[in-house]
Amino acid sequence: MIDPAALPPGLLISAPSSGTGKTTVMLGLLRALHDEGLSVQPYKSGPDYIDPAFHRAASGRASFNLDSWAMGADLLGALTAQAQGADICIAEGSMGLYDGVATRGQSGFGSSAETAMHMGWPVVLVVDVSGQAQSAAATALGFLAYQPDLPFAGVILNRVASPRHERLARLGMERAGVRVLGALPRRGDLALPERHLGLVQAAEHPDLEAAITAYAAFLRAHVDLDALRSAARGRHGLAAARPLPSAPAGRIALAQDAAFSFTYPHQLQGWRAAGAEILPFSPLADEAPDASADLVWLPGGYPELHAGRLAAAHNFRDGLIRHAQTRPVHGECGGYMALGAALIDKQGTAHQMAGLLGLVTSYEKRKFHLGYRRVDLLAAMPGHAVGAQLMGHEFHYSTIIEQPDAPLARVTDADGAPVPETGSRRGHVTGTFFHLISAQEAPR
Protein backbone atom coordinates (compact mmCIF):
# COMPACT_ATOMS: atom_id res chain seq x y z
CA MET A 1 0.00 0.00 0.00
CA ILE A 2 0.99 3.61 -0.53
CA ASP A 3 1.05 6.05 2.35
CA PRO A 4 -0.86 9.12 1.06
CA ALA A 5 1.16 11.29 3.44
CA ALA A 6 4.31 10.32 1.54
CA LEU A 7 3.03 11.78 -1.72
CA PRO A 8 4.02 15.33 -2.64
CA PRO A 9 1.83 18.43 -2.32
CA GLY A 10 0.55 20.14 -5.43
CA LEU A 11 -1.03 23.08 -7.20
CA LEU A 12 -3.48 23.32 -10.08
CA ILE A 13 -2.96 26.04 -12.69
CA SER A 14 -6.31 27.20 -14.04
CA ALA A 15 -8.03 30.27 -15.47
CA PRO A 16 -11.45 31.83 -16.00
CA SER A 17 -11.47 30.61 -19.62
CA SER A 18 -9.37 29.17 -22.41
CA GLY A 19 -6.80 31.39 -24.07
CA THR A 20 -5.62 33.20 -20.95
CA GLY A 21 -2.03 31.89 -21.04
CA LYS A 22 -2.13 29.06 -18.51
CA THR A 23 -0.08 26.75 -20.74
CA THR A 24 2.76 29.28 -20.85
CA VAL A 25 2.58 29.55 -17.05
CA MET A 26 2.46 25.75 -16.70
CA LEU A 27 5.49 25.04 -18.89
CA GLY A 28 7.51 27.89 -17.43
CA LEU A 29 6.71 26.80 -13.89
CA LEU A 30 7.55 23.15 -14.55
CA ARG A 31 10.95 24.03 -15.97
CA ALA A 32 11.71 26.75 -13.40
CA LEU A 33 11.05 24.35 -10.51
CA HIS A 34 12.98 21.60 -12.27
CA ASP A 35 15.93 23.98 -12.65
CA GLU A 36 15.82 24.57 -8.90
CA GLY A 37 16.51 20.88 -8.38
CA LEU A 38 12.97 19.73 -7.70
CA SER A 39 11.43 16.60 -9.13
CA VAL A 40 8.12 17.87 -10.51
CA GLN A 41 5.21 15.55 -11.35
CA PRO A 42 2.95 17.11 -14.02
CA TYR A 43 -0.71 16.33 -14.61
CA LYS A 44 -3.38 17.50 -17.03
CA SER A 45 -6.98 17.86 -15.89
CA GLY A 46 -9.36 16.64 -18.55
CA PRO A 47 -9.12 14.77 -21.87
CA ASP A 48 -6.05 16.15 -23.64
CA TYR A 49 -3.36 14.12 -25.42
CA ILE A 50 -1.22 17.04 -26.69
CA ASP A 51 -0.36 18.99 -23.52
CA PRO A 52 1.16 16.02 -21.62
CA ALA A 53 3.98 15.74 -24.19
CA PHE A 54 4.84 19.41 -23.56
CA HIS A 55 4.73 18.78 -19.81
CA ARG A 56 7.18 15.91 -20.15
CA ALA A 57 9.56 18.02 -22.19
CA ALA A 58 9.47 20.75 -19.52
CA SER A 59 9.72 18.54 -16.42
CA GLY A 60 11.47 15.34 -17.44
CA ARG A 61 8.62 13.23 -15.99
CA ALA A 62 5.67 11.63 -17.77
CA SER A 63 2.48 13.67 -17.40
CA PHE A 64 -0.87 11.98 -16.78
CA ASN A 65 -4.48 13.02 -17.32
CA LEU A 66 -6.85 13.23 -14.35
CA ASP A 67 -10.47 13.19 -15.49
CA SER A 68 -13.34 13.08 -13.02
CA TRP A 69 -15.92 12.34 -15.74
CA ALA A 70 -14.14 9.50 -17.49
CA MET A 71 -12.21 7.98 -14.58
CA GLY A 72 -13.33 6.14 -11.49
CA ALA A 73 -11.70 6.10 -8.06
CA ASP A 74 -9.43 3.14 -8.87
CA LEU A 75 -7.83 4.76 -11.92
CA LEU A 76 -7.59 8.16 -10.26
CA GLY A 77 -5.87 6.49 -7.33
CA ALA A 78 -3.43 4.67 -9.57
CA LEU A 79 -2.55 7.92 -11.33
CA THR A 80 -2.14 9.76 -8.04
CA ALA A 81 0.39 7.10 -7.06
CA GLN A 82 2.52 7.99 -10.10
CA ALA A 83 3.71 11.04 -8.13
CA GLN A 84 5.80 8.86 -5.82
CA GLY A 85 9.34 10.20 -5.61
CA ALA A 86 8.42 13.70 -6.79
CA ASP A 87 8.81 16.81 -4.64
CA ILE A 88 5.75 18.65 -5.96
CA CYS A 89 2.81 18.09 -8.33
CA ILE A 90 1.76 20.76 -10.82
CA ALA A 91 -1.46 20.20 -12.79
CA GLU A 92 -2.78 22.19 -15.74
CA GLY A 93 -6.51 22.74 -15.95
CA SER A 94 -8.61 22.72 -19.11
CA MET A 95 -10.97 25.45 -20.33
CA GLY A 96 -12.28 27.54 -17.43
CA LEU A 97 -11.91 26.38 -13.83
CA TYR A 98 -15.54 25.32 -13.33
CA ASP A 99 -16.28 24.16 -16.89
CA GLY A 100 -17.51 20.58 -17.23
CA VAL A 101 -20.49 18.71 -18.64
CA ALA A 102 -24.09 18.65 -17.43
CA THR A 103 -24.38 14.93 -16.63
CA ARG A 104 -22.21 13.19 -14.06
CA GLY A 105 -19.70 10.59 -15.21
CA GLN A 106 -17.70 8.11 -13.13
CA SER A 107 -16.50 10.52 -10.44
CA GLY A 108 -17.86 13.91 -11.42
CA PHE A 109 -18.57 16.34 -14.24
CA GLY A 110 -15.05 16.75 -15.64
CA SER A 111 -14.15 20.21 -14.35
CA SER A 112 -10.69 21.32 -13.24
CA ALA A 113 -12.23 22.46 -9.95
CA GLU A 114 -13.22 18.84 -9.24
CA THR A 115 -9.66 17.71 -9.88
CA ALA A 116 -8.37 20.31 -7.42
CA MET A 117 -10.93 19.24 -4.81
CA HIS A 118 -10.22 15.52 -5.25
CA MET A 119 -6.49 16.08 -4.85
CA GLY A 120 -6.58 18.86 -2.28
CA TRP A 121 -4.47 21.07 -4.57
CA PRO A 122 -4.91 24.85 -4.20
CA VAL A 123 -5.79 26.66 -7.42
CA VAL A 124 -3.53 29.24 -9.03
CA LEU A 125 -5.84 31.34 -11.20
CA VAL A 126 -4.22 32.93 -14.27
CA VAL A 127 -6.18 36.12 -14.94
CA ASP A 128 -5.86 37.98 -18.24
CA VAL A 129 -5.99 41.65 -17.20
CA SER A 130 -5.76 43.11 -20.71
CA GLY A 131 -8.47 45.74 -21.21
CA GLN A 132 -9.11 46.13 -17.48
CA ALA A 133 -7.33 46.91 -14.24
CA GLN A 134 -9.11 46.93 -10.85
CA SER A 135 -12.10 45.24 -12.48
CA ALA A 136 -10.07 42.03 -12.84
CA ALA A 137 -10.39 41.64 -9.08
CA ALA A 138 -14.15 41.21 -9.43
CA THR A 139 -13.55 38.27 -11.77
CA ALA A 140 -11.08 36.70 -9.34
CA LEU A 141 -13.37 37.32 -6.39
CA GLY A 142 -16.26 35.65 -8.20
CA PHE A 143 -14.16 32.55 -8.84
CA LEU A 144 -13.14 32.38 -5.19
CA ALA A 145 -16.73 32.81 -3.99
CA TYR A 146 -18.39 30.44 -6.48
CA GLN A 147 -17.22 27.36 -4.59
CA PRO A 148 -16.14 28.50 -1.12
CA ASP A 149 -14.62 25.15 -0.09
CA LEU A 150 -12.25 25.07 -3.07
CA PRO A 151 -8.71 25.96 -1.93
CA PHE A 152 -7.05 28.90 -3.69
CA ALA A 153 -3.36 29.80 -3.62
CA GLY A 154 -3.84 33.13 -5.39
CA VAL A 155 -3.70 34.68 -8.85
CA ILE A 156 -1.10 35.38 -11.51
CA LEU A 157 -1.86 38.50 -13.52
CA ASN A 158 -1.19 37.95 -17.22
CA ARG A 159 -0.74 40.31 -20.18
CA VAL A 160 0.05 43.33 -18.04
CA ALA A 161 0.59 46.36 -20.30
CA SER A 162 2.78 48.61 -18.10
CA PRO A 163 3.99 49.16 -14.52
CA ARG A 164 1.03 51.51 -13.98
CA HIS A 165 -1.37 48.84 -15.24
CA GLU A 166 0.18 46.28 -12.88
CA ARG A 167 -0.09 48.66 -9.92
CA LEU A 168 -3.79 49.28 -10.56
CA ALA A 169 -4.57 45.59 -11.05
CA ARG A 170 -2.70 44.70 -7.86
CA LEU A 171 -4.60 47.43 -6.01
CA GLY A 172 -7.91 45.88 -7.04
CA MET A 173 -6.77 42.43 -5.92
CA GLU A 174 -5.59 43.84 -2.59
CA ARG A 175 -8.99 45.46 -1.96
CA ALA A 176 -10.69 42.14 -2.78
CA GLY A 177 -8.39 40.20 -0.46
CA VAL A 178 -6.92 38.15 -3.31
CA ARG A 179 -3.26 37.19 -3.12
CA VAL A 180 -1.14 38.10 -6.17
CA LEU A 181 1.61 35.57 -6.84
CA GLY A 182 3.03 37.30 -9.90
CA ALA A 183 2.41 39.62 -12.83
CA LEU A 184 3.46 38.72 -16.37
CA PRO A 185 4.05 41.52 -18.89
CA ARG A 186 2.42 41.22 -22.30
CA ARG A 187 4.72 39.20 -24.58
CA GLY A 188 3.45 38.24 -28.02
CA ASP A 189 6.60 36.27 -28.80
CA LEU A 190 5.89 33.58 -26.20
CA ALA A 191 2.80 32.07 -27.84
CA LEU A 192 2.94 28.40 -28.82
CA PRO A 193 2.08 27.54 -32.45
CA GLU A 194 -1.38 26.08 -33.00
CA ARG A 195 -3.43 24.19 -35.58
CA HIS A 196 -7.05 23.05 -35.75
CA LEU A 197 -6.91 20.60 -32.80
CA GLY A 198 -5.03 23.08 -30.60
CA LEU A 199 -1.29 23.22 -30.08
CA VAL A 200 1.05 21.63 -32.59
CA GLN A 201 2.55 18.44 -31.21
CA ALA A 202 5.57 18.82 -28.97
CA ALA A 203 7.70 16.79 -31.37
CA GLU A 204 6.82 19.18 -34.21
CA HIS A 205 7.71 22.42 -32.40
CA PRO A 206 10.59 24.05 -34.32
CA ASP A 207 12.61 24.73 -31.15
CA LEU A 208 10.75 23.49 -28.12
CA GLU A 209 13.70 23.46 -25.72
CA ALA A 210 14.47 27.13 -26.41
CA ALA A 211 10.80 28.02 -25.97
CA ILE A 212 10.53 26.25 -22.61
CA THR A 213 13.78 27.83 -21.42
CA ALA A 214 12.33 31.25 -22.29
CA TYR A 215 9.10 30.50 -20.42
CA ALA A 216 11.07 29.48 -17.33
CA ALA A 217 13.13 32.69 -17.39
CA PHE A 218 9.92 34.68 -17.82
CA LEU A 219 8.31 33.00 -14.79
CA ARG A 220 11.41 33.40 -12.62
CA ALA A 221 11.53 37.11 -13.39
CA HIS A 222 7.88 37.87 -12.68
CA VAL A 223 6.41 35.21 -10.35
CA ASP A 224 7.17 34.47 -6.70
CA LEU A 225 8.24 30.84 -6.99
CA ASP A 226 8.88 30.51 -3.26
CA ALA A 227 5.33 31.63 -2.52
CA LEU A 228 3.98 29.12 -5.02
CA ARG A 229 5.96 26.28 -3.47
CA SER A 230 4.81 27.28 0.01
CA ALA A 231 1.17 27.31 -1.14
CA ALA A 232 1.25 23.72 -2.41
CA ARG A 233 -0.94 21.29 -0.48
CA GLY A 234 -2.42 17.83 -1.04
CA ARG A 235 -4.91 15.38 0.35
CA HIS A 236 -4.25 12.34 -1.86
CA GLY A 237 -7.13 10.44 -0.32
CA LEU A 238 -7.42 8.47 -3.57
CA ALA A 239 -3.87 7.14 -3.56
CA ALA A 240 -3.60 3.37 -3.47
CA ALA A 241 -1.56 0.57 -4.98
CA ARG A 242 -4.09 -0.04 -7.72
CA PRO A 243 -3.17 -1.18 -11.22
CA LEU A 244 -3.26 1.02 -14.29
CA PRO A 245 -5.23 -0.24 -17.34
CA SER A 246 -4.05 -3.69 -18.39
CA ALA A 247 -2.42 -4.41 -21.73
CA PRO A 248 -4.59 -5.61 -24.64
CA ALA A 249 -1.78 -7.89 -25.90
CA GLY A 250 1.74 -9.04 -25.07
CA ARG A 251 3.50 -7.49 -28.09
CA ILE A 252 1.89 -4.33 -29.43
CA ALA A 253 3.02 -2.69 -32.68
CA LEU A 254 2.24 0.98 -32.06
CA ALA A 255 2.24 3.54 -34.87
CA GLN A 256 4.21 6.57 -33.73
CA ASP A 257 5.05 9.52 -35.95
CA ALA A 258 3.67 12.94 -36.92
CA ALA A 259 0.49 11.34 -38.31
CA PHE A 260 -0.19 9.02 -35.36
CA SER A 261 0.76 10.22 -31.90
CA PHE A 262 -2.37 10.82 -29.81
CA THR A 263 -2.16 8.22 -27.05
CA TYR A 264 -3.08 8.87 -23.45
CA PRO A 265 0.05 8.44 -21.30
CA HIS A 266 -1.76 6.37 -18.66
CA GLN A 267 -2.65 3.78 -21.31
CA LEU A 268 0.96 3.32 -22.37
CA GLN A 269 2.12 3.32 -18.75
CA GLY A 270 -0.43 0.61 -17.97
CA TRP A 271 0.61 -1.49 -20.94
CA ARG A 272 4.25 -1.37 -19.90
CA ALA A 273 3.44 -2.04 -16.23
CA ALA A 274 1.51 -5.14 -17.31
CA GLY A 275 4.61 -6.43 -19.07
CA ALA A 276 3.63 -5.66 -22.67
CA GLU A 277 6.36 -4.97 -25.19
CA ILE A 278 5.63 -1.90 -27.31
CA LEU A 279 7.06 -2.04 -30.83
CA PRO A 280 6.95 1.44 -32.40
CA PHE A 281 6.86 1.90 -36.15
CA SER A 282 6.29 4.81 -38.54
CA PRO A 283 3.68 4.58 -41.30
CA LEU A 284 4.97 7.88 -42.71
CA ALA A 285 8.40 6.26 -43.16
CA ASP A 286 6.59 3.38 -44.92
CA GLU A 287 7.47 0.95 -42.14
CA ALA A 288 5.38 -2.18 -41.71
CA PRO A 289 4.33 -3.23 -38.21
CA ASP A 290 6.59 -5.82 -36.59
CA ALA A 291 5.64 -9.21 -37.99
CA SER A 292 5.85 -10.78 -34.52
CA ALA A 293 3.33 -8.40 -32.95
CA ASP A 294 0.14 -9.77 -31.41
CA LEU A 295 -1.73 -6.50 -32.04
CA VAL A 296 -1.34 -3.44 -34.24
CA TRP A 297 -2.61 -0.19 -32.71
CA LEU A 298 -2.98 2.99 -34.77
CA PRO A 299 -3.51 6.01 -32.49
CA GLY A 300 -5.15 9.26 -33.47
CA GLY A 301 -3.21 12.13 -34.95
CA TYR A 302 -3.15 14.10 -38.17
CA PRO A 303 -3.48 11.66 -41.09
CA GLU A 304 -5.31 14.36 -43.05
CA LEU A 305 -2.07 16.39 -43.21
CA HIS A 306 -0.16 13.41 -44.60
CA ALA A 307 -2.81 11.60 -46.65
CA GLY A 308 -0.73 11.54 -49.85
CA ARG A 309 2.28 9.99 -48.12
CA LEU A 310 0.10 7.42 -46.38
CA ALA A 311 -1.55 6.49 -49.66
CA ALA A 312 1.91 5.90 -51.16
CA ALA A 313 3.17 3.88 -48.16
CA HIS A 314 2.74 0.45 -49.77
CA ASN A 315 5.04 -1.40 -47.39
CA PHE A 316 3.05 -0.09 -44.42
CA ARG A 317 -0.28 -0.99 -45.99
CA ASP A 318 0.81 -4.46 -47.14
CA GLY A 319 2.18 -5.26 -43.67
CA LEU A 320 -1.04 -4.06 -42.06
CA ILE A 321 -3.14 -6.20 -44.38
CA ARG A 322 -0.99 -9.28 -43.72
CA HIS A 323 -1.31 -8.80 -39.97
CA ALA A 324 -5.11 -8.35 -40.15
CA GLN A 325 -5.55 -11.73 -41.81
CA THR A 326 -4.85 -13.53 -38.51
CA ARG A 327 -4.44 -10.97 -35.70
CA PRO A 328 -6.23 -7.87 -34.42
CA VAL A 329 -5.74 -4.33 -35.67
CA HIS A 330 -7.33 -1.35 -33.93
CA GLY A 331 -7.44 2.33 -34.84
CA GLU A 332 -8.56 5.38 -32.87
CA CYS A 333 -9.82 8.50 -34.67
CA GLY A 334 -7.02 9.27 -37.15
CA GLY A 335 -5.94 5.64 -36.97
CA TYR A 336 -9.53 4.60 -37.66
CA MET A 337 -9.59 6.82 -40.74
CA ALA A 338 -6.32 5.30 -41.96
CA LEU A 339 -7.88 1.82 -41.74
CA GLY A 340 -10.74 2.90 -44.01
CA ALA A 341 -11.14 2.87 -47.77
CA ALA A 342 -10.38 6.53 -48.43
CA LEU A 343 -9.65 9.88 -46.84
CA ILE A 344 -10.70 13.04 -48.69
CA ASP A 345 -8.46 16.00 -47.90
CA LYS A 346 -9.55 19.63 -47.60
CA GLN A 347 -8.91 20.21 -51.32
CA GLY A 348 -11.38 17.45 -52.18
CA THR A 349 -8.76 14.90 -53.30
CA ALA A 350 -9.51 11.31 -52.29
CA HIS A 351 -6.53 9.29 -51.03
CA GLN A 352 -6.58 5.50 -50.80
CA MET A 353 -6.16 4.21 -47.25
CA ALA A 354 -5.59 0.64 -46.00
CA GLY A 355 -9.05 -0.60 -47.04
CA LEU A 356 -9.40 -2.91 -44.03
CA LEU A 357 -12.67 -1.12 -43.29
CA GLY A 358 -15.10 0.53 -45.68
CA LEU A 359 -14.96 3.89 -43.91
CA VAL A 360 -14.66 7.00 -46.09
CA THR A 361 -14.05 10.31 -44.34
CA SER A 362 -13.74 13.87 -45.61
CA TYR A 363 -11.98 17.02 -44.47
CA GLU A 364 -13.42 18.92 -47.42
CA LYS A 365 -16.75 18.87 -45.57
CA ARG A 366 -15.49 19.85 -42.14
CA LYS A 367 -17.64 19.34 -39.09
CA PHE A 368 -16.50 19.79 -35.50
CA HIS A 369 -16.97 16.75 -33.25
CA LEU A 370 -16.08 17.28 -29.61
CA GLY A 371 -17.12 15.67 -26.36
CA TYR A 372 -17.10 12.79 -23.93
CA ARG A 373 -18.41 9.44 -25.11
CA ARG A 374 -20.12 6.56 -23.26
CA VAL A 375 -19.60 3.29 -25.09
CA ASP A 376 -21.34 -0.12 -24.94
CA LEU A 377 -19.39 -2.61 -27.03
CA LEU A 378 -21.46 -4.71 -29.44
CA ALA A 379 -18.36 -6.71 -30.33
CA ALA A 380 -15.00 -7.28 -28.74
CA MET A 381 -12.12 -4.88 -29.34
CA PRO A 382 -8.53 -5.38 -28.17
CA GLY A 383 -8.49 -5.47 -24.38
CA HIS A 384 -12.28 -5.38 -23.92
CA ALA A 385 -15.00 -8.00 -24.32
CA VAL A 386 -18.49 -7.75 -25.80
CA GLY A 387 -20.73 -5.77 -23.45
CA ALA A 388 -17.91 -3.79 -21.85
CA GLN A 389 -18.81 -0.23 -20.93
CA LEU A 390 -16.11 2.26 -21.81
CA MET A 391 -15.52 5.97 -21.36
CA GLY A 392 -13.79 8.03 -24.01
CA HIS A 393 -13.53 11.37 -25.75
CA GLU A 394 -13.95 12.46 -29.36
CA PHE A 395 -12.24 15.46 -30.97
CA HIS A 396 -11.93 15.85 -34.75
CA TYR A 397 -13.18 17.76 -37.78
CA SER A 398 -13.79 14.93 -40.23
CA THR A 399 -17.15 14.01 -41.75
CA ILE A 400 -18.22 10.42 -42.38
CA ILE A 401 -19.14 9.88 -46.03
CA GLU A 402 -19.49 6.10 -45.82
CA GLN A 403 -19.48 3.77 -42.79
CA PRO A 404 -20.72 0.45 -44.24
CA ASP A 405 -19.27 -2.07 -41.79
CA ALA A 406 -21.00 -3.49 -38.73
CA PRO A 407 -21.03 -1.04 -35.82
CA LEU A 408 -18.55 -1.74 -33.04
CA ALA A 409 -20.57 -0.14 -30.28
CA ARG A 410 -23.52 1.91 -29.16
CA VAL A 411 -22.06 5.35 -28.50
CA THR A 412 -23.67 8.30 -26.75
CA ASP A 413 -22.49 11.71 -25.63
CA ALA A 414 -22.08 12.72 -21.98
CA ASP A 415 -25.83 13.35 -21.67
CA GLY A 416 -26.84 10.02 -23.19
CA ALA A 417 -27.79 11.27 -26.68
CA PRO A 418 -26.77 8.83 -29.45
CA VAL A 419 -23.96 9.84 -31.81
CA PRO A 420 -23.51 8.36 -35.29
CA GLU A 421 -19.79 7.65 -34.84
CA THR A 422 -20.34 4.08 -33.66
CA GLY A 423 -17.00 2.70 -34.80
CA SER A 424 -16.69 -0.25 -37.16
CA ARG A 425 -15.61 -3.88 -37.21
CA ARG A 426 -14.69 -6.30 -39.95
CA GLY A 427 -12.85 -9.53 -39.31
CA HIS A 428 -9.94 -8.87 -36.97
CA VAL A 429 -10.14 -5.11 -37.54
CA THR A 430 -11.86 -2.57 -35.29
CA GLY A 431 -11.87 1.20 -35.19
CA THR A 432 -13.44 4.05 -33.26
CA PHE A 433 -13.66 7.81 -33.46
CA PHE A 434 -13.46 8.04 -29.68
CA HIS A 435 -10.15 7.89 -27.83
CA LEU A 436 -10.41 5.33 -25.04
CA ILE A 437 -9.79 6.74 -21.56
CA SER A 438 -11.03 4.01 -19.24
CA ALA A 439 -13.44 1.17 -18.62
CA GLN A 440 -16.47 1.79 -16.44
CA GLU A 441 -15.62 0.88 -12.85
CA ALA A 442 -18.08 -1.02 -10.67
CA PRO A 443 -19.83 1.28 -8.19
CA ARG A 444 -18.58 1.11 -4.61
Side-chain angles (χ1 to χ4, degrees), residues 117-133:
M117 285 293 294
H118 280 312
M119 307 302 294
W121 292 335
V123 172
V124 176
L125 196 69
V126 180
V127 180
D128 182 352
V129 297
S130 56
Q132 58 183 330

Side-chain angles (χ1 to χ4, degrees), residues 142-194:
F143 272 79
L144 269 66
Y146 186 82
Q147 189 172 329
D149 56 344
L150 180 65
F152 272 85
V155 302
I156 293 176
L157 310 178
N158 195 23
R159 297 173 185 148
V160 175
S162 66
R164 177 179 179 274
H165 185 201
E166 178 182 341
R167 187 167 63 252
L168 292 172
R170 283 183 178 272
L171 178 62
M173 295 294 175
E174 181 181 336
R175 287 176 176 168
V178 178
R179 186 183 188 189
V180 177
L181 297 164
L184 302 175
R186 185 179 296 151
R187 284 276 300 273
D189 61 317
L190 291 179
L192 287 165
E194 297 186 15

Side-chain angles (χ1 to χ4, degrees), residues 84 114 146 233 294:
Q84 290 181 91
E114 287 176 328
Y146 186 82
R233 299 284 186 274
D294 304 309

Side-chain angles (χ1 to χ4, degrees), residues 360-363 365-367 369 396-402 433:
V360 178
T361 51
S362 173
Y363 277 84
K365 301 176 180 179
R366 284 166 54 102
K367 183 178 179 182
H369 302 263
H396 63 94
Y397 283 87
S398 60
T399 297
I400 294 174
I401 304 300
E402 297 178 32
F433 264 117

Side-chain angles (χ1 to χ4, degrees), residues 21-279:
K22 61 179 177 285
T23 297
T24 299
V25 172
M26 177 70 177
L27 297 181
L29 183 57
L30 289 175
R31 176 57 61 85
L33 293 175
H34 177 270
D35 289 347
E36 290 189 351
L38 296 181
S39 177
V40 188
Q41 175 58 58
Y43 288 100
K44 174 68 182 185
S45 180
D48 185 297
Y49 28 75
I50 295 179
D51 285 348
F54 284 91
H55 296 171
R56 181 167 196 154
S59 70
R61 288 180 69 112
S63 177
F64 299 98
N65 301 78
L66 297 171
D67 193 317
S68 63
W69 189 88
M71 296 177 177
D74 286 349
L75 181 51
L76 288 171
L79 293 172
T80 301
Q82 298 302 307
Q84 290 181 91
D87 299 305
I88 190 170
C89 300
I90 305 292
E92 180 179 359
S94 57
M95 302 185 294
L97 175 61
Y98 295 110
D99 294 328
V101 294
T103 303
R104 184 181 175 86
Q106 292 213 63
S107 303
F109 298 87
S111 74
S112 299
E114 287 176 328
T115 297
M117 285 293 294
H118 280 312
M119 307 302 294
W121 292 335
V123 172
V124 176
L125 196 69
V126 180
V127 180
D128 182 352
V129 297
S130 56
Q132 58 183 330
Q134 291 97 323
S135 295
T139 297
L141 192 59
F143 272 79
L144 269 66
Y146 186 82
Q147 189 172 329
D149 56 344
L150 180 65
F152 272 85
V155 302
I156 293 176
L157 310 178
N158 195 23
R159 297 173 185 148
V160 175
S162 66
R164 177 179 179 274
H165 185 201
E166 178 182 341
R167 187 167 63 252
L168 292 172
R170 283 183 178 272
L171 178 62
M173 295 294 175
E174 181 181 336
R175 287 176 176 168
V178 178
R179 186 183 188 189
V180 177
L181 297 164
L184 302 175
R186 185 179 296 151
R187 284 276 300 273
D189 61 317
L190 291 179
L192 287 165
E194 297 186 15
R195 61 160 63 101
H196 58 270
L197 293 186
L199 298 177
V200 300
Q201 299 171 81
E204 296 178 297
H205 192 287
D207 198 347
L208 182 58
E209 179 59 28
I212 292 173
T213 299
Y215 299 153
F218 190 48
L219 265 287
R220 278 193 296 269
H222 300 286
V223 172
D224 188 340
L225 296 181
D226 289 337
L228 278 169
R229 289 176 59 178
S230 298
R233 299 284 186 274
R235 181 166 52 248
H236 300 306
L238 296 173
R242 295 165 179 146
L244 288 164
S246 61
R251 292 172 59 81
I252 304 170
L254 179 69
Q256 286 189 324
D257 56 26
F260 305 100
S261 63
F262 295 164
T263 357
Y264 283 113
H266 70 274
Q267 297 282 2
L268 298 183
Q269 189 85 345
W271 295 357
R272 293 188 180 100
E277 184 178 1
I278 296 177
L279 309 167

Side-chain angles (χ1 to χ4, degrees), residues 328-408:
V329 175
H330 182 73
E332 288 189 333
C333 202
Y336 177 34
M337 291 186 276
L339 293 175
L343 192 161
I344 301 169
D345 64 24
K346 64 180 181 180
Q347 286 80 30
T349 302
H351 301 272
Q352 181 184 0
M353 294 290 106
L356 292 171
L357 296 170
L359 181 74
V360 178
T361 51
S362 173
Y363 277 84
E364 183 185 25
K365 301 176 180 179
R366 284 166 54 102
K367 183 178 179 182
F368 190 32
H369 302 263
L370 171 67
Y372 286 120
R373 298 291 182 256
R374 295 180 187 267
V375 178
D376 292 298
L377 287 182
L378 300 173
M381 61 171 271
H384 299 281
V386 178
Q389 295 182 313
L390 310 177
M391 313 293 273
H393 188 263
E394 187 174 339
F395 186 13
H396 63 94
Y397 283 87
S398 60
T399 297
I400 294 174
I401 304 300
E402 297 178 32
Q403 189 176 245
D405 298 298
L408 178 64

Side-chain angles (χ1 to χ4, degrees), residues 248-253 279 288-297 318-331 339 356 380-382 426-430:
R251 292 172 59 81
I252 304 170
L279 309 167
D290 192 300
S292 69
D294 304 309
L295 163 67
V296 176
W297 190 283
D318 291 346
L320 202 62
I321 291 170
R322 281 196 301 272
H323 183 99
Q325 290 172 357
T326 56
R327 289 157 293 170
V329 175
H330 182 73
L339 293 175
L356 292 171
M381 61 171 271
R426 181 196 292 179
H428 296 288
V429 182
T430 54

